[in-house]
Amino acid sequence: MSNLVRKFEAYSEWRNGVTAALGRYRKWTGQSQLADIASEQRIARLLSKLADDKLSIAFVAEFSRGKSELINAIFFADYGQRILPSAAGRTTMCPTELLYDETFPPSIRLLPIETRAEIHSTSDFKTQSQAWTVLPLDISSSDGMLEAFRQVSLTKRVPVEEAIRYGLFDADNRDDGMTVDADGCVEISRWRHAIVNFPHPLLKQGLIIIDTPGLNAIGTEPELTLNLIPNAHAVLFVLAADTGVTKSDIEVWRNHIGSGPGRMVVLNKIDSMWDELRSPEEVEAQIERQIASVTRTLELPDKQVFPVSAQKGLVGKINRDPQLLARSRLPELEDALSNALIPAKKDIIRAQLMADIESMTAAHLTVLSSRTRNVAEQLMELKSLRGKNRKVIEHMMQRIDVEKMEFDESLLKLQGTRAVFTRLSMEVFTSLGMEILKEDISNARDAMQRSNFSIGLRQAVRVFFDRTRQHLALSGQKTEEIAEMMTVMYRKFSTEHGLAVSMPMPFSLQKYRNEIALIEAVYHKQFGVAAIMTTPQVVLMQKFFDSIVSRVKHSFLQANRDVEAWLKVIMAPLEAQIREHKSQLKRRLQSMQRIHLATDSLEEKIQAIDILQSQLQADKDTMLQLQQELMAALAVETAPLLNTA
């Protein structure tokens, strides 16, 4: 078992540990009457974030670089043979995602190439099950699986006009012109996209493997350019050791991948340099020269380039030949991938969970502390009544009545704040809502259809991005107003009534502004240079706009969910304290009334309050223990788990 596989399994165990700790905490809050709608929603979101956590690795290369073989060697060697088709020439004709979704049976879902003629992106079609061709996957038969996987290699011949309509042929491109046969047809992929639902152990734990077609698809399939590659946690750019970096390699690296975290270059097929007429030192020197050439051309450090032989690594694993496996250098790539990818992903999700958990536990601890403080005050109050007459008790009842009246007055003022809060919330969704986005999309499409000129097309897209930024900026201003208003209200209740509430949770839409900026940057890289676009480029630009729309819709939907969740919880700590304070005032007054009517019940009441105080302290101790368990589960590192494999 490779270090990458072990580390990923350890990462999955870490998520399971955090999930179990959250489950115990959730159960206890319900038993201790600390659970409310806001905290339940927050815990549900945390559990959903853990359950839906995915780790995606994209493999990008020109055809015949051994990309599919590399996937076989890293992930599927345990099957004893190749799972993905791997042969000379092009074997992956469409973007292929390997994942596991337990709601679907093992299968291959294939999106027909004809869908490129429609306005929907691949992401849009993922919600339209009727658009896909579904083939069952027989996981009990390796040969059956290999045969099913060959679907991604299938092609078809179509007239040039049809290929142009799909954005897959440029008549002004000499290379494209050479592919036309005597009947005026060209060869294209039969499928636009493939999703393989495969119950592989790693895929079950949330790994997604993205296998891409040749580099020409990077420019023609918007789903790759705008979604799959930019959002991948790791991108392995596969080159051939014997050819090095080609012109098309440089263009794709600079425009669509680039150096950075999780971006690696694999110099595959180093076995082509193994030569019995050369010494091992000479072979090593030749490999080092190729590495130096790659790092110089792509402008990246040596540590991001990994020379391997995927084919020999696969053979070494299947035949259990440790010497051949070591010579293939595949373990070095797997180690680097596991050390660069998984800890970084874990740190990101841990930071996200930590912030929410700390905020949630702090709110619950505040409620418990408030209960404890109120009970202590009530106990002191009751003990002070020992030996006192009815007039003193009546005076204390009046004092509680006054305190209750003052608190009720503050609650009336809070109702006014709620009205403003509701109005501002509606204004947030007015500018962030999907209806206004749909209107902008429709206007942009209309403008693009009215203009066949480059300037008009670009202007329509520019206006769309401008409007999107304006919507996010306006919504951001409204959320800031809400946060400021609630901060004032929190301070008021804290100062006037002694409520121990922390300030409301901050919120920002900056994450989504950054996402829109990244989408726009990808668009400009693709279409911002050429002054005049050919007809196929216009078709391609329209296809890209379809994918841009899909990405922006996704960002807005997520922003809407985040804002809605924030609005539900921003008042939760204050409301919890208000409920607690009202309850305590009511109990204090009832106690005084009972004591006023029957003074002999004072000692019984003091005894009952003593017991309640002990129970509250036990609750507080239990909560602190559960909080420590949660933090300990978050802090667990994966390294110790590797030694047990």
Side-chain angles (χ1 to χ4, degrees):
M1 186 184 292
S2 71
N3 191 32
L4 174 62
V5 174
R6 290 198 301 266
K7 210 154 195 174
F8 197 88
E9 289 179 343
Y11 176 64
S12 182
E13 286 297 318
W14 171 80
R15 283 186 312 207
N16 292 339
V18 177
T19 299
L22 264 173
R24 290 191 295 271
Y25 184 86
R26 183 186 208 173
K27 182 179 179 181
W28 178 81
T29 56
Q31 294 170 343
S32 304
Q33 298 180 335
L34 284 170
D36 54 28
I37 293 175
S39 65
E40 273 296 303
Q41 285 180 339
R42 182 174 284 182
I43 292 176
R45 286 188 73 202
L46 291 170
L47 290 171
S48 177
K49 187 176 289 186
L50 285 163
D52 296 339
D53 181 40
K54 304 296 182 185
L55 204 64
S56 59
I57 304 178
F59 291 76
V60 180
E62 188 55 277
F63 64 88
S64 295
R65 300 290 171 81
K67 177 169 42 65
S68 298
E69 188 80 325
L70 185 62
I71 297 173
N72 282 324
I74 294 176
F75 299 107
F76 301 125
D78 290 345
Y79 284 86
Q81 68 173 63
R82 295 181 177 91
I83 296 299
L84 293 183
S86 178
R90 303 183 67 175
T91 54
T92 304
M93 294 298 298
C94 65
T96 303
E97 294 180 77
L98 289 87
L99 48 81
Y100 183 66
D101 182 348
E102 61 182 9
T103 62
F104 287 94
S107 59
I108 296 182
R109 288 188 288 159
L110 300 155
L111 186 64
I113 196 67
E114 288 79 8
T115 58
R116 283 184 66 98
E118 302 182 35
I119 64 170
H120 299 297
S121 70
T122 302
S123 294
D124 294 332
F125 277 113
K126 286 182 178 180
T127 62
Q128 301 178 24
S129 58
Q130 73 280 1
W132 298 75
T133 298
V134 182
L135 302 177
L137 190 63
D138 183 5
I139 59 174
S140 64
S141 167
S142 297
D143 291 336
M145 282 198 296
L146 186 60
E147 186 60 36
F149 274 108
R150 287 200 177 100
Q151 285 289 330
V152 301
S153 307
L154 298 183
T155 61
K156 62 190 298 186
R157 303 198 74 80
V158 298
V160 167
E161 295 77 14
E162 187 175 346
I164 291 174
R165 191 155 55 94
Y166 299 155
L168 298 175
F169 185 87
D170 185 351
D172 296 328
N173 186 311
R174 190 168 65 177
D175 291 339
D176 281 3
M178 294 174 63
T179 64
V180 182
D181 64 15
D183 297 325
C185 293
V186 293
E187 185 181 42
I188 62 172
S189 172
R190 181 176 293 274
W191 309 110
R192 180 180 181 181
H193 197 87
I195 300 176
V196 182
N197 195 46
F198 180 32
H200 182 279
L202 287 183
L203 302 183
K204 280 184 173 182
Q205 293 167 20
L207 178 67
I208 298 176
I209 301 169
I210 302 164
D211 189 10
T212 64
L215 297 184
N216 63 318
I218 303 295
T220 59
E221 180 47 67
E223 185 73 9
L224 288 173
T225 311
L226 287 166
N227 189 11
L228 294 178
I229 293 176
N231 291 333
H233 299 99
V235 177
L236 271 62
F237 191 48
V238 186
L239 307 174
D242 52 353
T243 58
V245 186
T246 65
K247 184 178 179 181
S248 58
D249 289 330
I250 297 172
E251 182 181 345
V252 169
W253 175 261
R254 289 177 179 170
N255 293 334
H256 302 294
I257 302 175
S259 58
R263 269 51 183 164
M264 302 177 182
V265 174
V266 179
L267 200 57
N268 193 24
K269 301 187 179 181
I270 59 170
D271 53 296
S272 65
M273 298 181 177
W274 298 352
D275 189 341
E276 294 179 357
L277 300 180
R278 291 194 180 102
S279 67
E281 292 75 19
E282 288 174 322
V283 171
E284 180 64 26
Q286 189 177 8
I287 293 173
E288 290 299 323
R289 283 195 297 272
Q290 281 291 68
I291 293 174
S293 174
V294 170
T295 57
R296 184 172 58 254
T297 305
L298 298 184
E299 300 176 338
L300 75 165
D302 291 358
K303 63 182 180 180
Q304 282 184 253
V305 180
F306 297 88
V308 303
S309 170
Q311 193 270 334
K312 299 304 180 188
L314 177 63
V315 172
K317 284 185 175 183
I318 291 174
N319 293 339
R320 302 186 183 280
D321 185 340
Q323 290 184 335
L324 183 59
L325 180 60
R327 196 179 180 197
S328 76
R329 299 197 186 186
L330 188 66
E332 296 171 26
L333 170 62
E334 292 175 335
D335 288 349
L337 193 58
S338 63
N339 292 331
L341 174 63
I342 296 173
K345 181 69 170 72
K346 183 178 177 182
D347 288 344
I348 291 171
I349 193 168
R350 176 158 49 195
Q352 293 172 344
L353 294 170
M354 186 81 75
D356 276 345
I357 288 172
E358 285 178 345
S359 175
M360 178 181 65
T361 54
H364 287 153
L365 190 59
T366 299
V367 172
L368 275 181
S369 298
S370 176
R371 288 180 185 176
T372 304
R373 185 180 66 252
N374 287 326
V375 166
E377 289 174 358
Q378 191 176 354
L379 188 60
M380 289 177 61
E381 207 170 50
L382 292 175
K383 286 181 178 179
S384 70
L385 295 178
R386 282 171 170 160
K388 299 293 193 303
N389 57 32
R390 287 178 176 272
K391 287 187 178 180
V392 173
I393 297 174
E394 287 173 359
H395 174 71
M396 297 188 75
M397 288 171 62
Q398 291 171 357
R399 194 178 69 187
I400 295 171
D401 267 331
V402 170
E403 190 177 338
K404 185 175 181 300
M405 287 174 60
E406 291 175 349
F407 191 68
D408 287 342
E409 287 178 7
S410 294
L411 291 182
L412 287 174
K413 294 176 183 177
L414 179 62
Q415 293 304 318
T417 302
R418 284 180 186 275
V420 178
F421 175 84
T422 302
R423 176 177 60 79
L424 289 173
S425 298
M426 291 176 66
E427 290 176 1
V428 170
F429 291 112
T430 298
S431 51
L432 196 64
M434 301 308 294
E435 287 304 315
I436 196 168
L437 180 62
K438 287 178 182 176
E439 184 180 333
D440 290 340
I441 292 167
S442 178
N443 291 339
R445 282 208 171 104
D446 288 344
M448 292 176 75
Q449 288 174 359
R450 287 194 302 267
S451 177
N452 289 323
F453 296 100
S454 304
I455 295 175
L457 291 167
R458 290 195 180 92
Q459 174 70 5
V461 179
R462 186 186 66 78
V463 169
F464 174 74
F465 277 117
D466 286 345
R467 292 278 294 167
T468 303
R469 282 193 296 270
Q470 289 169 10
H471 297 327
L472 286 171
L474 188 57
S475 296
Q477 290 173 8
K478 297 301 179 184
T479 58
E480 288 170 7
E481 284 184 49
I482 292 171
E484 187 176 340
M485 180 183 69
M486 293 310 303
T487 299
V488 171
M489 185 55 63
Y490 270 57
R491 284 176 180 156
K492 176 181 173 63
F493 273 86
S494 178
T495 303
E496 294 182 2
H497 304 288
L499 301 189
V501 289
S502 54
M503 288 301 103
M505 185 173 63
F507 181 79
S508 173
L509 287 169
Q510 187 59 46
K511 168 187 173 183
Y512 299 102
R513 287 196 284 267
N514 293 341
E515 282 186 11
I516 299 302
L518 286 173
I519 296 168
E520 188 174 13
V522 172
Y523 157 75
H524 282 303
K525 278 185 179 180
Q526 191 76 18
F527 298 104
V529 179
I532 300 175
M533 290 188 289
T534 62
T535 300
Q537 286 175 314
V538 170
V539 173
L540 185 57
M541 184 175 179
Q542 290 169 339
K543 294 287 118 193
F544 261 75
F545 184 71
D546 295 340
S547 287
I548 286 169
V549 164
S550 181
R551 282 289 307 277
V552 172
K553 275 183 182 177
H554 181 269
S555 291
F556 265 59
L557 281 170
Q558 191 59 52
N560 273 267
R561 292 191 193 103
D562 286 353
V563 170
E564 187 177 358
W566 176 70
L567 291 174
K568 286 179 179 177
V569 302
I570 188 173
M571 294 187 72
L574 179 60
E575 288 177 333
Q577 282 288 294
I578 287 172
R579 286 195 301 271
E580 199 60 42
H581 194 68
K582 284 179 68 176
S583 178
Q584 289 294 337
L585 285 173
K586 183 179 179 181
R587 281 196 290 268
R588 281 171 61 195
L589 187 58
Q590 288 172 344
S591 294
M592 289 296 175
Q593 288 171 342
R594 282 195 293 269
I595 292 165
H596 184 258
L597 295 173
T599 52
D600 57 342
S601 68
L602 176 61
E603 291 302 323
E604 292 177 6
K605 190 64 180 174
I606 289 173
Q607 186 178 6
I609 296 293
D610 269 329
I611 294 171
L612 180 58
Q613 192 175 42
S614 299
Q615 289 174 342
L616 283 171
Q617 186 57 51
D619 282 346
K620 196 171 182 179
D621 292 342
T622 302
M623 184 191 161
L624 290 172
Q625 180 183 345
L626 288 168
Q627 185 185 34
Q628 288 175 356
E629 287 180 12
L630 261 174
M631 294 304 171
L634 283 170
V636 167
E637 296 299 338
T638 58
L641 295 173
L642 297 180
N643 299 327
T644 65

